[in-house]
mmCIF file of all heavy atoms in Angstrom:
data_model
loop_
_atom_site.group_PDB
_atom_site.id
_atom_site.type_symbol
_atom_site.label_atom_id
_atom_site.label_comp_id
_atom_site.label_asym_id
_atom_site.label_seq_id
_atom_site.Cartn_x
_atom_site.Cartn_y
_atom_site.Cartn_z
ATOM 1 N N LYS A 1 27.008 -55.583 -34.132
ATOM 2 C CA LYS A 1 26.136 -55.469 -32.967
ATOM 3 C C LYS A 1 25.619 -54.044 -32.831
ATOM 4 O O LYS A 1 26.389 -53.093 -32.702
ATOM 5 C CB LYS A 1 26.901 -55.874 -31.702
ATOM 6 C CG LYS A 1 26.036 -55.913 -30.444
ATOM 7 C CD LYS A 1 26.851 -56.355 -29.234
ATOM 8 C CE LYS A 1 26.001 -56.402 -27.977
ATOM 9 N NZ LYS A 1 26.821 -56.781 -26.784
ATOM 10 N N ILE A 2 24.307 -53.901 -32.844
ATOM 11 C CA ILE A 2 23.654 -52.598 -32.739
ATOM 12 C C ILE A 2 22.722 -52.625 -31.540
ATOM 13 O O ILE A 2 22.062 -53.632 -31.272
ATOM 14 C CB ILE A 2 22.850 -52.265 -34.010
ATOM 15 C CG1 ILE A 2 23.753 -52.283 -35.239
ATOM 16 C CG2 ILE A 2 22.172 -50.901 -33.886
ATOM 17 C CD1 ILE A 2 23.038 -51.955 -36.533
ATOM 18 N N GLY A 3 22.634 -51.533 -30.820
ATOM 19 C CA GLY A 3 21.723 -51.490 -29.684
ATOM 20 C C GLY A 3 21.348 -50.075 -29.293
ATOM 21 O O GLY A 3 21.894 -49.082 -29.792
ATOM 22 N N LEU A 4 20.409 -50.005 -28.394
ATOM 23 C CA LEU A 4 19.947 -48.747 -27.815
ATOM 24 C C LEU A 4 20.753 -48.447 -26.552
ATOM 25 O O LEU A 4 20.974 -49.329 -25.725
ATOM 26 C CB LEU A 4 18.466 -48.865 -27.452
ATOM 27 C CG LEU A 4 17.831 -47.720 -26.664
ATOM 28 C CD1 LEU A 4 17.672 -46.484 -27.531
ATOM 29 C CD2 LEU A 4 16.478 -48.151 -26.087
ATOM 30 N N ILE A 5 21.219 -47.211 -26.417
ATOM 31 C CA ILE A 5 21.776 -46.731 -25.150
ATOM 32 C C ILE A 5 20.697 -45.844 -24.529
ATOM 33 O O ILE A 5 20.546 -44.680 -24.917
ATOM 34 C CB ILE A 5 23.099 -45.958 -25.352
ATOM 35 C CG1 ILE A 5 24.128 -46.851 -26.026
ATOM 36 C CG2 ILE A 5 23.616 -45.445 -24.011
ATOM 37 C CD1 ILE A 5 25.485 -46.184 -26.270
ATOM 38 N N PRO A 6 19.913 -46.376 -23.596
ATOM 39 C CA PRO A 6 18.708 -45.675 -23.129
ATOM 40 C C PRO A 6 18.972 -44.309 -22.501
ATOM 41 O O PRO A 6 18.118 -43.419 -22.578
ATOM 42 C CB PRO A 6 18.114 -46.647 -22.096
ATOM 43 C CG PRO A 6 18.686 -47.978 -22.441
ATOM 44 C CD PRO A 6 20.051 -47.700 -22.981
ATOM 45 N N ASP A 7 20.153 -44.147 -21.879
ATOM 46 C CA ASP A 7 20.436 -42.882 -21.204
ATOM 47 C C ASP A 7 21.110 -41.853 -22.106
ATOM 48 O O ASP A 7 21.354 -40.722 -21.677
ATOM 49 C CB ASP A 7 21.320 -43.129 -19.979
ATOM 50 C CG ASP A 7 20.599 -43.955 -18.914
ATOM 51 O OD1 ASP A 7 19.370 -43.812 -18.793
ATOM 52 O OD2 ASP A 7 21.273 -44.741 -18.231
ATOM 53 N N ALA A 8 21.404 -42.230 -23.346
ATOM 54 C CA ALA A 8 22.037 -41.291 -24.290
ATOM 55 C C ALA A 8 20.950 -40.468 -24.977
ATOM 56 O O ALA A 8 20.689 -40.594 -26.178
ATOM 57 C CB ALA A 8 22.884 -42.047 -25.302
ATOM 58 N N ILE A 9 20.333 -39.599 -24.217
ATOM 59 C CA ILE A 9 19.195 -38.813 -24.692
ATOM 60 C C ILE A 9 19.683 -37.514 -25.330
ATOM 61 O O ILE A 9 20.635 -36.892 -24.863
ATOM 62 C CB ILE A 9 18.249 -38.490 -23.520
ATOM 63 C CG1 ILE A 9 17.658 -39.782 -22.943
ATOM 64 C CG2 ILE A 9 17.129 -37.550 -23.949
ATOM 65 C CD1 ILE A 9 16.900 -39.574 -21.643
ATOM 66 N N VAL A 10 19.037 -37.115 -26.415
ATOM 67 C CA VAL A 10 19.216 -35.761 -26.934
ATOM 68 C C VAL A 10 17.856 -35.069 -26.899
ATOM 69 O O VAL A 10 16.812 -35.719 -26.894
ATOM 70 C CB VAL A 10 19.776 -35.750 -28.373
ATOM 71 C CG1 VAL A 10 21.093 -36.498 -28.444
ATOM 72 C CG2 VAL A 10 18.782 -36.325 -29.376
ATOM 73 N N TYR A 11 17.887 -33.752 -26.870
ATOM 74 C CA TYR A 11 16.652 -32.964 -26.919
ATOM 75 C C TYR A 11 16.446 -32.517 -28.361
ATOM 76 O O TYR A 11 17.158 -31.643 -28.867
ATOM 77 C CB TYR A 11 16.753 -31.764 -25.983
ATOM 78 C CG TYR A 11 17.008 -32.149 -24.542
ATOM 79 C CD1 TYR A 11 18.160 -31.726 -23.883
ATOM 80 C CD2 TYR A 11 16.096 -32.945 -23.847
ATOM 81 C CE1 TYR A 11 18.398 -32.079 -22.560
ATOM 82 C CE2 TYR A 11 16.327 -33.311 -22.534
ATOM 83 C CZ TYR A 11 17.481 -32.873 -21.893
ATOM 84 O OH TYR A 11 17.714 -33.236 -20.592
ATOM 85 N N HIS A 12 15.469 -33.145 -29.006
ATOM 86 C CA HIS A 12 15.266 -32.954 -30.443
ATOM 87 C C HIS A 12 14.103 -31.992 -30.659
ATOM 88 O O HIS A 12 12.962 -32.304 -30.343
ATOM 89 C CB HIS A 12 14.967 -34.311 -31.090
ATOM 90 C CG HIS A 12 15.139 -34.321 -32.573
ATOM 91 N ND1 HIS A 12 14.778 -35.392 -33.353
ATOM 92 C CD2 HIS A 12 15.622 -33.387 -33.437
ATOM 93 C CE1 HIS A 12 15.037 -35.122 -34.607
ATOM 94 N NE2 HIS A 12 15.548 -33.909 -34.685
ATOM 95 N N LYS A 13 14.401 -30.840 -31.244
ATOM 96 C CA LYS A 13 13.364 -29.820 -31.427
ATOM 97 C C LYS A 13 12.330 -30.224 -32.468
ATOM 98 O O LYS A 13 11.172 -29.841 -32.383
ATOM 99 C CB LYS A 13 14.018 -28.499 -31.872
ATOM 100 C CG LYS A 13 14.907 -27.861 -30.837
ATOM 101 C CD LYS A 13 15.471 -26.565 -31.394
ATOM 102 C CE LYS A 13 16.401 -25.909 -30.411
ATOM 103 N NZ LYS A 13 16.979 -24.667 -30.976
ATOM 104 N N ARG A 14 12.749 -30.951 -33.472
ATOM 105 C CA ARG A 14 11.891 -31.301 -34.604
ATOM 106 C C ARG A 14 11.300 -30.037 -35.216
ATOM 107 O O ARG A 14 12.015 -29.126 -35.567
ATOM 108 C CB ARG A 14 10.822 -32.298 -34.180
ATOM 109 C CG ARG A 14 11.426 -33.588 -33.648
ATOM 110 C CD ARG A 14 10.406 -34.679 -33.440
ATOM 111 N NE ARG A 14 11.057 -35.850 -32.898
ATOM 112 C CZ ARG A 14 11.699 -36.748 -33.618
ATOM 113 N NH1 ARG A 14 11.782 -36.590 -34.920
ATOM 114 N NH2 ARG A 14 12.283 -37.785 -33.056
ATOM 115 N N ARG A 15 9.990 -29.922 -35.285
ATOM 116 C CA ARG A 15 9.378 -28.768 -35.935
ATOM 117 C C ARG A 15 8.690 -27.886 -34.903
ATOM 118 O O ARG A 15 8.290 -28.355 -33.837
ATOM 119 C CB ARG A 15 8.399 -29.228 -37.015
ATOM 120 C CG ARG A 15 9.082 -29.959 -38.166
ATOM 121 C CD ARG A 15 10.063 -29.021 -38.890
ATOM 122 N NE ARG A 15 10.783 -29.693 -39.971
ATOM 123 C CZ ARG A 15 12.041 -30.069 -39.903
ATOM 124 N NH1 ARG A 15 12.729 -29.875 -38.790
ATOM 125 N NH2 ARG A 15 12.622 -30.644 -40.927
ATOM 126 N N THR A 16 8.539 -26.620 -35.254
ATOM 127 C CA THR A 16 8.024 -25.647 -34.286
ATOM 128 C C THR A 16 6.537 -25.370 -34.449
ATOM 129 O O THR A 16 5.961 -24.633 -33.666
ATOM 130 C CB THR A 16 8.786 -24.320 -34.410
ATOM 131 O OG1 THR A 16 8.729 -23.861 -35.776
ATOM 132 C CG2 THR A 16 10.251 -24.504 -34.018
ATOM 133 N N ASP A 17 5.899 -25.926 -35.475
ATOM 134 C CA ASP A 17 4.446 -25.786 -35.616
ATOM 135 C C ASP A 17 3.903 -27.046 -36.284
ATOM 136 O O ASP A 17 4.653 -27.855 -36.844
ATOM 137 C CB ASP A 17 4.059 -24.516 -36.382
ATOM 138 C CG ASP A 17 4.593 -24.496 -37.817
ATOM 139 O OD1 ASP A 17 4.294 -25.425 -38.584
ATOM 140 O OD2 ASP A 17 5.317 -23.543 -38.159
ATOM 141 N N PHE A 18 2.586 -27.191 -36.253
ATOM 142 C CA PHE A 18 1.978 -28.435 -36.714
ATOM 143 C C PHE A 18 1.999 -28.582 -38.235
ATOM 144 O O PHE A 18 1.989 -29.697 -38.742
ATOM 145 C CB PHE A 18 0.544 -28.537 -36.192
ATOM 146 C CG PHE A 18 0.469 -28.761 -34.698
ATOM 147 C CD1 PHE A 18 -0.290 -27.935 -33.889
ATOM 148 C CD2 PHE A 18 1.177 -29.795 -34.110
ATOM 149 C CE1 PHE A 18 -0.350 -28.145 -32.521
ATOM 150 C CE2 PHE A 18 1.134 -30.007 -32.735
ATOM 151 C CZ PHE A 18 0.367 -29.176 -31.948
ATOM 152 N N VAL A 19 2.037 -27.472 -38.966
ATOM 153 C CA VAL A 19 2.110 -27.557 -40.429
ATOM 154 C C VAL A 19 3.452 -28.155 -40.845
ATOM 155 O O VAL A 19 3.520 -29.080 -41.672
ATOM 156 C CB VAL A 19 1.905 -26.176 -41.072
ATOM 157 C CG1 VAL A 19 2.138 -26.250 -42.581
ATOM 158 C CG2 VAL A 19 0.493 -25.654 -40.787
ATOM 159 N N LYS A 20 4.546 -27.640 -40.270
ATOM 160 C CA LYS A 20 5.867 -28.181 -40.568
ATOM 161 C C LYS A 20 5.994 -29.627 -40.095
ATOM 162 O O LYS A 20 6.620 -30.462 -40.751
ATOM 163 C CB LYS A 20 6.944 -27.319 -39.917
ATOM 164 C CG LYS A 20 7.045 -25.911 -40.492
ATOM 165 C CD LYS A 20 8.063 -25.080 -39.730
ATOM 166 C CE LYS A 20 8.145 -23.662 -40.282
ATOM 167 N NZ LYS A 20 9.076 -22.810 -39.504
ATOM 168 N N PHE A 21 5.391 -29.915 -38.949
ATOM 169 C CA PHE A 21 5.423 -31.282 -38.414
ATOM 170 C C PHE A 21 4.688 -32.238 -39.345
ATOM 171 O O PHE A 21 5.146 -33.357 -39.595
ATOM 172 C CB PHE A 21 4.797 -31.289 -37.022
ATOM 173 C CG PHE A 21 4.859 -32.610 -36.305
ATOM 174 C CD1 PHE A 21 6.053 -33.294 -36.161
ATOM 175 C CD2 PHE A 21 3.711 -33.172 -35.755
ATOM 176 C CE1 PHE A 21 6.108 -34.514 -35.499
ATOM 177 C CE2 PHE A 21 3.757 -34.378 -35.089
ATOM 178 C CZ PHE A 21 4.955 -35.058 -34.969
ATOM 179 N N PHE A 22 3.547 -31.798 -39.884
ATOM 180 C CA PHE A 22 2.789 -32.623 -40.827
ATOM 181 C C PHE A 22 3.655 -32.960 -42.045
ATOM 182 O O PHE A 22 3.713 -34.115 -42.481
ATOM 183 C CB PHE A 22 1.517 -31.901 -41.267
ATOM 184 C CG PHE A 22 0.656 -32.700 -42.200
ATOM 185 C CD1 PHE A 22 -0.381 -33.484 -41.713
ATOM 186 C CD2 PHE A 22 0.882 -32.700 -43.579
ATOM 187 C CE1 PHE A 22 -1.173 -34.237 -42.573
ATOM 188 C CE2 PHE A 22 0.107 -33.449 -44.435
ATOM 189 C CZ PHE A 22 -0.929 -34.217 -43.928
ATOM 190 N N LYS A 23 4.324 -31.950 -42.595
ATOM 191 C CA LYS A 23 5.159 -32.178 -43.785
ATOM 192 C C LYS A 23 6.289 -33.161 -43.478
ATOM 193 O O LYS A 23 6.612 -34.024 -44.299
ATOM 194 C CB LYS A 23 5.732 -30.847 -44.270
ATOM 195 C CG LYS A 23 4.679 -29.902 -44.849
ATOM 196 C CD LYS A 23 5.308 -28.578 -45.271
ATOM 197 C CE LYS A 23 4.260 -27.629 -45.837
ATOM 198 N NZ LYS A 23 4.852 -26.310 -46.218
ATOM 199 N N GLN A 24 6.893 -33.015 -42.289
ATOM 200 C CA GLN A 24 7.981 -33.909 -41.910
ATOM 201 C C GLN A 24 7.502 -35.351 -41.795
ATOM 202 O O GLN A 24 8.151 -36.278 -42.292
ATOM 203 C CB GLN A 24 8.595 -33.454 -40.590
ATOM 204 C CG GLN A 24 9.786 -34.286 -40.150
ATOM 205 C CD GLN A 24 10.310 -33.880 -38.788
ATOM 206 O OE1 GLN A 24 9.545 -33.671 -37.852
ATOM 207 N NE2 GLN A 24 11.620 -33.758 -38.667
ATOM 208 N N LEU A 25 6.352 -35.550 -41.148
ATOM 209 C CA LEU A 25 5.862 -36.922 -40.944
ATOM 210 C C LEU A 25 5.314 -37.525 -42.223
ATOM 211 O O LEU A 25 5.377 -38.750 -42.413
ATOM 212 C CB LEU A 25 4.811 -36.923 -39.831
ATOM 213 C CG LEU A 25 5.361 -37.199 -38.422
ATOM 214 C CD1 LEU A 25 5.913 -38.625 -38.326
ATOM 215 C CD2 LEU A 25 6.454 -36.216 -38.033
ATOM 216 N N HIS A 26 4.781 -36.702 -43.107
ATOM 217 C CA HIS A 26 4.365 -37.195 -44.419
ATOM 218 C C HIS A 26 5.588 -37.756 -45.155
ATOM 219 O O HIS A 26 5.525 -38.809 -45.796
ATOM 220 C CB HIS A 26 3.725 -36.058 -45.221
ATOM 221 C CG HIS A 26 3.134 -36.487 -46.528
ATOM 222 N ND1 HIS A 26 3.859 -36.508 -47.698
ATOM 223 C CD2 HIS A 26 1.880 -36.925 -46.840
ATOM 224 C CE1 HIS A 26 3.082 -36.934 -48.685
ATOM 225 N NE2 HIS A 26 1.886 -37.197 -48.198
ATOM 226 N N PHE A 27 6.697 -37.059 -45.030
ATOM 227 C CA PHE A 27 7.966 -37.508 -45.608
ATOM 228 C C PHE A 27 8.405 -38.827 -44.985
ATOM 229 O O PHE A 27 8.880 -39.734 -45.681
ATOM 230 C CB PHE A 27 9.006 -36.414 -45.383
ATOM 231 C CG PHE A 27 10.256 -36.558 -46.201
ATOM 232 C CD1 PHE A 27 10.301 -36.141 -47.522
ATOM 233 C CD2 PHE A 27 11.409 -37.109 -45.644
ATOM 234 C CE1 PHE A 27 11.460 -36.258 -48.275
ATOM 235 C CE2 PHE A 27 12.566 -37.233 -46.385
ATOM 236 C CZ PHE A 27 12.601 -36.811 -47.710
ATOM 237 N N PHE A 28 8.233 -38.962 -43.663
ATOM 238 C CA PHE A 28 8.613 -40.202 -42.977
ATOM 239 C C PHE A 28 7.781 -41.386 -43.472
ATOM 240 O O PHE A 28 8.289 -42.506 -43.598
ATOM 241 C CB PHE A 28 8.423 -40.059 -41.468
ATOM 242 C CG PHE A 28 9.456 -39.194 -40.784
ATOM 243 C CD1 PHE A 28 9.384 -38.976 -39.420
ATOM 244 C CD2 PHE A 28 10.484 -38.606 -41.492
ATOM 245 C CE1 PHE A 28 10.330 -38.176 -38.776
ATOM 246 C CE2 PHE A 28 11.437 -37.803 -40.869
ATOM 247 C CZ PHE A 28 11.353 -37.596 -39.502
ATOM 248 N N GLY A 29 6.501 -41.152 -43.719
ATOM 249 C CA GLY A 29 5.646 -42.220 -44.238
ATOM 250 C C GLY A 29 6.112 -42.705 -45.597
ATOM 251 O O GLY A 29 6.146 -43.914 -45.877
ATOM 252 N N ARG A 30 6.474 -41.757 -46.444
ATOM 253 C CA ARG A 30 7.023 -42.113 -47.751
ATOM 254 C C ARG A 30 8.347 -42.857 -47.602
ATOM 255 O O ARG A 30 8.646 -43.779 -48.374
ATOM 256 C CB ARG A 30 7.211 -40.851 -48.591
ATOM 257 C CG ARG A 30 5.920 -40.125 -48.951
ATOM 258 C CD ARG A 30 6.225 -38.872 -49.761
ATOM 259 N NE ARG A 30 6.967 -39.230 -50.953
ATOM 260 C CZ ARG A 30 7.878 -38.437 -51.538
ATOM 261 N NH1 ARG A 30 8.176 -37.275 -51.011
ATOM 262 N NH2 ARG A 30 8.495 -38.843 -52.634
ATOM 263 N N ALA A 31 9.134 -42.453 -46.612
ATOM 264 C CA ALA A 31 10.447 -43.074 -46.411
ATOM 265 C C ALA A 31 10.333 -44.559 -46.100
ATOM 266 O O ALA A 31 11.192 -45.355 -46.502
ATOM 267 C CB ALA A 31 11.189 -42.352 -45.282
ATOM 268 N N ARG A 32 9.281 -44.939 -45.382
ATOM 269 C CA ARG A 32 9.124 -46.354 -45.039
ATOM 270 C C ARG A 32 8.988 -47.199 -46.299
ATOM 271 O O ARG A 32 9.523 -48.318 -46.372
ATOM 272 C CB ARG A 32 7.914 -46.526 -44.128
ATOM 273 C CG ARG A 32 7.593 -47.954 -43.752
ATOM 274 C CD ARG A 32 8.770 -48.724 -43.203
ATOM 275 N NE ARG A 32 9.261 -48.190 -41.943
ATOM 276 C CZ ARG A 32 10.262 -48.751 -41.261
ATOM 277 N NH1 ARG A 32 10.879 -49.829 -41.726
ATOM 278 N NH2 ARG A 32 10.662 -48.216 -40.118
ATOM 279 N N ILE A 33 8.304 -46.696 -47.310
ATOM 280 C CA ILE A 33 8.166 -47.430 -48.568
ATOM 281 C C ILE A 33 9.501 -47.456 -49.305
ATOM 282 O O ILE A 33 9.857 -48.445 -49.953
ATOM 283 C CB ILE A 33 7.067 -46.810 -49.445
ATOM 284 C CG1 ILE A 33 5.729 -46.847 -48.711
ATOM 285 C CG2 ILE A 33 6.956 -47.543 -50.772
ATOM 286 C CD1 ILE A 33 5.277 -48.232 -48.277
ATOM 287 N N ASN A 34 10.273 -46.376 -49.205
ATOM 288 C CA ASN A 34 11.591 -46.360 -49.831
ATOM 289 C C ASN A 34 12.493 -47.443 -49.233
ATOM 290 O O ASN A 34 13.224 -48.126 -49.954
ATOM 291 C CB ASN A 34 12.231 -44.982 -49.658
ATOM 292 C CG ASN A 34 13.311 -44.696 -50.692
ATOM 293 O OD1 ASN A 34 13.187 -45.085 -51.843
ATOM 294 N ND2 ASN A 34 14.370 -44.019 -50.276
ATOM 295 N N VAL A 35 12.425 -47.616 -47.918
ATOM 296 C CA VAL A 35 13.189 -48.672 -47.263
ATOM 297 C C VAL A 35 12.697 -50.046 -47.725
ATOM 298 O O VAL A 35 13.496 -50.967 -47.962
ATOM 299 C CB VAL A 35 13.089 -48.546 -45.729
ATOM 300 C CG1 VAL A 35 13.724 -49.749 -45.038
ATOM 301 C CG2 VAL A 35 13.757 -47.263 -45.253
ATOM 302 N N TYR A 36 11.390 -50.180 -47.873
ATOM 303 C CA TYR A 36 10.799 -51.443 -48.346
ATOM 304 C C TYR A 36 11.379 -51.857 -49.702
ATOM 305 O O TYR A 36 11.601 -53.055 -49.947
ATOM 306 C CB TYR A 36 9.289 -51.294 -48.439
ATOM 307 C CG TYR A 36 8.610 -52.351 -49.285
ATOM 308 C CD1 TYR A 36 8.368 -53.634 -48.785
ATOM 309 C CD2 TYR A 36 8.221 -52.075 -50.597
ATOM 310 C CE1 TYR A 36 7.757 -54.603 -49.568
ATOM 311 C CE2 TYR A 36 7.615 -53.032 -51.386
ATOM 312 C CZ TYR A 36 7.388 -54.295 -50.864
ATOM 313 O OH TYR A 36 6.797 -55.247 -51.640
ATOM 314 N N LYS A 37 11.650 -50.886 -50.568
ATOM 315 C CA LYS A 37 12.179 -51.219 -51.886
ATOM 316 C C LYS A 37 13.572 -51.841 -51.795
ATOM 317 O O LYS A 37 13.974 -52.599 -52.667
ATOM 318 C CB LYS A 37 12.225 -49.959 -52.768
ATOM 319 C CG LYS A 37 10.869 -49.309 -52.983
ATOM 320 C CD LYS A 37 9.880 -50.232 -53.680
ATOM 321 C CE LYS A 37 10.193 -50.415 -55.137
ATOM 322 N NZ LYS A 37 9.154 -51.209 -55.838
ATOM 323 N N PHE A 38 14.303 -51.537 -50.721
ATOM 324 C CA PHE A 38 15.619 -52.137 -50.501
ATOM 325 C C PHE A 38 15.504 -53.451 -49.725
ATOM 326 O O PHE A 38 16.222 -54.406 -49.998
ATOM 327 C CB PHE A 38 16.520 -51.171 -49.723
ATOM 328 C CG PHE A 38 17.023 -50.012 -50.529
ATOM 329 C CD1 PHE A 38 16.296 -48.837 -50.613
ATOM 330 C CD2 PHE A 38 18.224 -50.093 -51.222
ATOM 331 C CE1 PHE A 38 16.764 -47.758 -51.352
ATOM 332 C CE2 PHE A 38 18.696 -49.023 -51.957
ATOM 333 C CZ PHE A 38 17.957 -47.854 -52.033
ATOM 334 N N PHE A 39 14.614 -53.474 -48.728
ATOM 335 C CA PHE A 39 14.476 -54.631 -47.838
ATOM 336 C C PHE A 39 12.992 -54.970 -47.673
ATOM 337 O O PHE A 39 12.360 -54.554 -46.699
ATOM 338 C CB PHE A 39 15.102 -54.339 -46.465
ATOM 339 C CG PHE A 39 16.561 -53.993 -46.509
ATOM 340 C CD1 PHE A 39 16.983 -52.675 -46.445
ATOM 341 C CD2 PHE A 39 17.522 -54.985 -46.624
ATOM 342 C CE1 PHE A 39 18.322 -52.346 -46.478
ATOM 343 C CE2 PHE A 39 18.878 -54.672 -46.664
ATOM 344 C CZ PHE A 39 19.274 -53.356 -46.606
#
């Protein structure tokens, strides 16, 4: 059983500028295809 705990919030800094953010999200897009190869 897996679920969301809505009030268990963390403050996630992620990236501090848009160039780093772009690189991170480009990686996330690729990751979705990697997951597809498994499922």
